[in-house]
Amino acid sequence: MAGLRTVGAIVLTLVALALLHTGVTLMVAGAMAAMVSTFAIREKEVRGQAITLALGLPVALAAMALGAVLHSGIIAGDLFFVALIFGAVYSRRFGDRGTALGLIGFQVYFVSLFVRATVPALPELALTLAVAFACSAAVRFTVVRDTPQRTLARLRAAFRARLAQLVATHVALMDAGPEQFDDVLDDLRRHTARLHEAALMIQGRLEEGTPDAATAGLLQRRIADAEIAAERLGMLVLNARSAERADTLTLHLPHAPLSVAASRLQTGGEVHNRLRKDLEALNLLVARRAPDDRGTALAHVRNRLLGYRDEDNLPQASPAVQDAFRGVGETARAVLGLRLALDGPQDESDDSPATTRSREEFDAEDLAIVGAGKDEEDAEAEDERTGLQRPTTRAAFQVAVGSTLAIIGGEFLSSQRWYWAVLTCWVVFLNTSSTGEILVKGYRRLLGTVFGVIAGVALAGLVGNHTWTAFALVLVCIFGMFFTAPLSYALMSFFVTAMLGLLYTVLNTYSLSVLVLRIEETALGAACGIIAAVLVLPVHTDRRTDDALGTVLDRLREVVAAAVEQLSGGPAVDLLGMARDLDTALDDLRASTGPLTHPITPLRVRRQTAQYLVALLETCAYHARSLAATAELVPYSRTVAADPRLAHAGLRIARNIDLIVARVRDESAEGEVEAGASIAAMLEASDSPALRSGTVTFRVLRHLQRLDDGVVGLARPLDVPVAGRSGGTRA
């Protein structure tokens, strides 16, 4: 959508300027201004977008005017450029609007350097900017109109599609032989991760895309249920198909081996075929949308799958295979809840008792969610850091110093196009938080630039003097730039450089030496950015990673402690919101460990350790989400009751997490992580009734046991002492 919106704004700008009979240079300036005025604005509300766009025009006019006035004053122009860069980065502390206005100011000043703006040309340039901003507004608010409600609707459809892909992978897992098993397992990991990503994207749009807090809470609940049930089903099918007991780490650690030589589920057998048929039926339930889901056949399928929630309907098979059928039933229930939330009321005429019971459970949950939504108050955490500790302030000083070095070095390379080095120095600092991230981003930009130069040479030779053909290819490159930006920074840099080769062709300033100079300036800018990041208020990758790791562990402890308290009869709290905070912190950690896990890193052992830690935390987050989802059923469900015995079960996990956090933040902290008998054995030793398989308490204890094992597993690579395990059974 961002690519379509940007391309549409550029096309409309070019058409408008062509009708005004402007020159090629002004058309290039207008196209670049339309591009920046479109992609810089990231606010979610339409009203906020309009205000920022209106404020952006005077900022752009001021930047263009100063660029033209300072055109002949080299020293004054360079000093102002550095000051502008500092202000543009510092303005990010004021949120999306400050970020957008700073970006518009910087980019339009860059445009003035690119087209060599002069004072006599200012009236025409001002008109060009006004046309570009007007065309950007027209496309944004009419042609490619994007509201929070439309965005959320697309994300909901994407989530449904991802869920269908994951269930289809479960079917493929049933058919995979030993030769295909590893490939299907990789697909299972990838589709599970993408479903989780879609759920997080929906979480970020719920507040603006729904009419009230109750609706947002209901949709959040149903999305979480479907995500957790689908991931758990994948784990259960994997256990049924594999020769050894798999744990959740298998789904999160790349290339984790798993044997299928002696599967618990005989391929081609009656139970195998039945489970495979039920998974295909589940995929049908996910893919069908209202009103195409009516009919007794589909109702029969739904009723059959929901029947697996009752123990009497499970086939005679091993416990692992029976768990897989239970997982099908729970996932069918989650799909029904998702359909009720997304598509509204469904036809109930052919419901079985199991389906009716599921609907009644949803009705009770809905009433509780609506009641909670009325009293919900949002409290946003503020960044308490001040002065040079604030990330935006630190980044502003770093970019200013790096840009100064880039200007000086760039002038030695070329007195005409030194600004390419400054641009590279600027962009390597965007969305980065440590020296390692800046190093990796600089490397990717240089790699994309080298290949982009090769493509630019080829495209320039093909285009020749055909101006409109060049403009058409520029539009293709711009769309490719925006489409690939979230996927690969190197690919984005490739399209940017290829586009520049075409623009130089349009301006009749193209030569091979210019594109080679582009590589040199890019390398210089990346080097200056890295030097500034290392020498000026540095944030080392280890420190950044430790901070992110501590935050993840804090969020994990909060979720687990609150979920266990509610499961044992404590007060109800917003557990799913806490779980999503954990997911957000985990995404931040994953980004901060990017430099450590990058293929070019020479520290292989460290890379494997970082991957293992992130995978362990992802499994812990999954079990924490499952606990939170189960705990939220306690206040209003007829089948999930509080169990006071669980209050003791989470104490060891919370204490162990506290010890690990203390050690991460202070290496001199003392204490040992406790790893004794299993949690289930601890409860059974306290004269409690024996635990029965299939009960809610048994399932909760399984998640707690996996969390306990995961936390102990985290301690060892982090050099936290672990007390000896004396045995005990696993839950």
Side-chain angles (χ1 to χ4, degrees):
M1 295 301 294
L4 289 175
R5 194 180 302 113
T6 305
V7 169
I10 293 173
V11 169
L12 189 58
T13 300
L14 291 176
V15 171
L17 293 176
L19 294 176
L20 294 174
H21 304 290
T22 57
V24 173
T25 300
L26 290 177
M27 294 180 74
V28 170
M32 295 179 73
M35 181 174 66
V36 67
S37 63
T38 303
F39 79 77
I41 299 175
R42 297 296 179 89
E43 291 178 88
K44 298 173 183 177
E45 294 288 349
V46 175
R47 182 176 179 274
Q49 296 172 11
I51 293 174
T52 304
L53 191 59
L55 294 174
L57 180 57
V59 171
L61 292 173
M64 182 65 74
L66 287 168
V69 170
L70 300 173
H71 174 74
S72 57
I74 297 177
I75 296 178
D78 290 349
L79 290 175
F80 173 76
F81 201 11
V82 172
L84 177 63
I85 290 170
F86 180 89
V89 176
Y90 186 78
S91 65
R92 288 190 292 177
R93 65 170 295 190
F94 300 108
D96 289 338
R97 182 163 300 160
T99 302
L101 295 179
L103 189 58
I104 288 172
F106 170 82
Q107 292 285 1
V108 172
Y109 190 85
F110 175 82
V111 170
S112 73
L113 298 174
F114 186 79
V115 300
R116 300 179 184 180
T118 59
V119 174
L122 269 180
E124 291 181 312
L125 286 170
L127 177 61
T128 300
L129 290 178
V131 170
F133 272 73
C135 292
S136 175
V139 172
R140 176 180 293 275
F141 300 122
T142 58
V143 182
V144 191
R145 193 165 182 266
D146 192 21
T147 64
Q149 292 76 19
R150 291 186 178 185
T151 301
L152 183 59
R154 289 197 302 271
L155 289 176
R156 285 160 38 180
F159 181 85
R160 195 196 299 259
R162 290 296 188 200
L163 183 59
Q165 287 179 343
L166 183 55
V167 176
T169 307
H170 296 159
V171 177
L173 191 63
M174 293 294 300
D175 296 333
E179 299 80 9
Q180 303 87 24
F181 191 79
D182 287 341
D183 293 336
V184 176
L185 185 56
D186 287 339
D187 290 340
L188 182 65
R189 294 187 182 109
R190 184 173 64 256
H191 290 311
T192 300
R194 289 179 175 177
L195 181 69
H196 179 59
E197 182 182 359
L200 286 179
M201 294 174 72
I202 289 176
Q203 173 70 19
R205 295 283 180 169
L206 280 176
E207 184 178 349
E208 297 83 7
T210 52
D212 51 57
T215 305
L218 176 62
L219 185 57
Q220 179 189 29
R221 171 75 202 185
R222 298 295 170 249
I223 292 291
D225 283 345
E227 177 197 355
I228 293 169
E231 183 171 356
R232 183 170 181 268
L233 177 61
M235 194 69 252
L236 296 175
V237 172
L238 194 60
N239 270 324
R241 281 283 288 123
S242 60
E244 57 193 87
R245 182 73 182 181
D247 56 36
T248 323
L249 185 61
T250 309
L251 288 181
H252 298 281
L253 187 61
H255 313 300
L258 199 64
S259 173
V260 293
S263 173
R264 297 182 181 89
L265 198 60
Q266 181 182 0
T267 303
E270 180 181 352
V271 177
H272 173 278
N273 292 335
R274 179 175 174 180
L275 182 56
R276 187 188 187 283
K277 181 180 178 182
D278 287 336
L279 288 171
E280 290 178 339
L282 180 63
N283 193 24
L284 180 65
L285 287 181
V286 175
R288 282 286 187 95
R289 296 189 183 186
D292 301 327
D293 58 352
R294 292 174 184 162
T296 56
L298 198 66
H300 175 74
V301 168
R302 180 189 61 214
N303 294 338
R304 188 180 80 245
L305 299 186
L306 287 172
Y308 290 133
R309 299 183 66 210
D310 295 328
E311 296 293 315
D312 295 340
N313 294 326
L314 297 176
Q316 294 296 323
S318 66
V321 175
Q322 285 188 331
D323 279 344
F325 280 97
R326 289 191 189 97
V328 170
E330 292 299 328
T331 307
R333 178 190 183 277
V335 170
L336 175 62
L338 188 65
R339 294 168 72 84
L340 290 171
L342 299 184
D343 301 329
Q346 311 287 303
D347 183 11
E348 304 179 18
S349 58
D350 298 310
D351 282 358
S352 67
T355 304
T356 301
R357 176 164 63 90
S358 297
R359 292 190 191 276
E360 291 174 350
E361 292 172 354
F362 287 131
D363 290 339
E365 292 175 23
D366 293 350
L367 290 175
I369 292 173
V370 170
K374 293 177 181 178
D375 301 325
E376 187 176 289
E377 294 183 2
D378 294 328
E380 296 184 1
E382 296 183 0
D383 193 340
E384 297 179 354
R385 289 173 288 184
T386 59
L388 297 179
Q389 293 181 341
R390 193 185 296 273
T392 50
T393 305
R394 180 190 296 113
F397 278 104
Q398 289 177 326
V399 177
V401 172
S403 299
T404 301
L405 296 176
I407 289 173
I408 296 172
E411 291 279 6
F412 281 106
L413 287 177
S414 171
S415 60
Q416 299 295 324
R417 293 182 172 83
W418 53 269
Y419 45 78
W420 290 124
V422 181
L423 181 65
T424 299
C425 182
W426 157 276
V427 298
V428 297
F429 277 94
L430 294 178
N431 300 320
T432 54
S433 304
S434 68
T435 53
E437 292 179 47
I438 292 170
L439 177 63
V440 170
K441 194 169 185 180
Y443 152 77
R444 288 172 174 166
R445 184 169 183 86
L446 182 59
L447 184 66
T449 299
V450 170
F451 285 100
V453 164
I454 298 173
V457 171
L459 290 174
L462 291 174
V463 169
N465 296 323
H466 299 85
T467 301
W468 288 106
T469 303
F471 270 125
L473 290 175
V474 165
L475 295 176
V476 173
C477 289
I478 290 174
F479 181 83
M481 176 177 67
F482 282 94
F483 186 79
T484 59
L487 307 175
S488 169
Y489 187 72
L491 274 176
M492 190 196 77
S493 301
F494 166 83
F495 283 110
V496 170
T497 306
M499 175 192 71
L500 290 174
L502 291 167
L503 288 179
Y504 280 131
T505 302
V506 171
L507 295 172
N508 294 320
T509 56
Y510 167 80
S511 68
L512 181 60
S513 61
V514 169
L515 292 182
V516 172
L517 178 63
R518 162 78 173 166
I519 296 178
E520 296 172 345
E521 296 280 4
T522 298
L524 175 65
C528 291
I530 294 169
I531 291 172
V534 171
L535 299 180
V536 181
L537 304 173
V539 178
H540 298 297
T541 304
D542 289 345
R543 175 186 165 190
R544 163 76 174 136
T545 303
D546 287 347
D547 289 344
L549 177 59
T551 302
V552 171
L553 291 172
D554 284 338
R555 298 290 181 269
L556 178 64
R557 188 195 186 284
E558 291 172 3
V559 175
V560 174
V564 170
E565 183 179 7
Q566 189 161 319
L567 283 164
S568 58
V573 295
D574 182 15
L575 288 172
L576 287 181
M578 297 170 67
R580 287 312 182 196
D581 290 340
L582 168 61
D583 291 331
T584 302
L586 187 55
D587 281 349
D588 191 32
L589 174 65
R590 196 179 294 110
S592 69
T593 57
L596 303 178
T597 59
H598 195 275
I600 67 172
T601 180
L603 306 174
R604 299 299 178 183
V605 175
R606 194 178 181 189
R607 175 188 177 188
Q608 292 173 356
T609 301
Q611 288 177 330
Y612 179 71
L613 283 173
V614 171
L616 264 181
L617 286 168
E618 286 177 340
T619 65
C620 290
Y622 160 71
H623 291 296
R625 287 196 302 271
S626 300
L627 283 175
T630 305
E632 288 215 334
L633 298 174
V634 170
Y636 42 82
S637 175
R638 299 178 182 176
T639 59
V640 181
D643 190 336
R645 296 178 298 171
L646 295 173
H648 178 68
L651 293 179
R652 185 169 76 188
I653 298 175
R655 184 167 54 249
N656 286 344
I657 293 176
D658 287 338
L659 286 172
I660 295 175
V661 171
R663 187 62 178 264
V664 167
R665 291 174 174 165
D666 183 5
E667 293 184 0
S668 62
E670 297 181 353
E672 288 184 332
V673 167
E674 181 183 351
S678 71
I679 290 178
M682 291 167 56
L683 294 189
E684 291 172 353
S686 61
D687 298 327
S688 299
L691 297 169
R692 292 185 300 105
S693 175
T695 63
V696 173
T697 300
F698 185 85
R699 181 189 300 181
V700 166
L701 285 176
R702 290 178 67 177
H703 289 302
L704 285 172
Q705 185 64 60
R706 298 297 182 266
L707 274 168
D708 185 54
D709 293 341
V711 171
V712 173
L714 287 170
R716 294 188 174 96
L718 293 173
D719 295 327
V720 181
V722 179
R725 182 182 293 275
S726 60
T729 58
R730 293 174 64 92

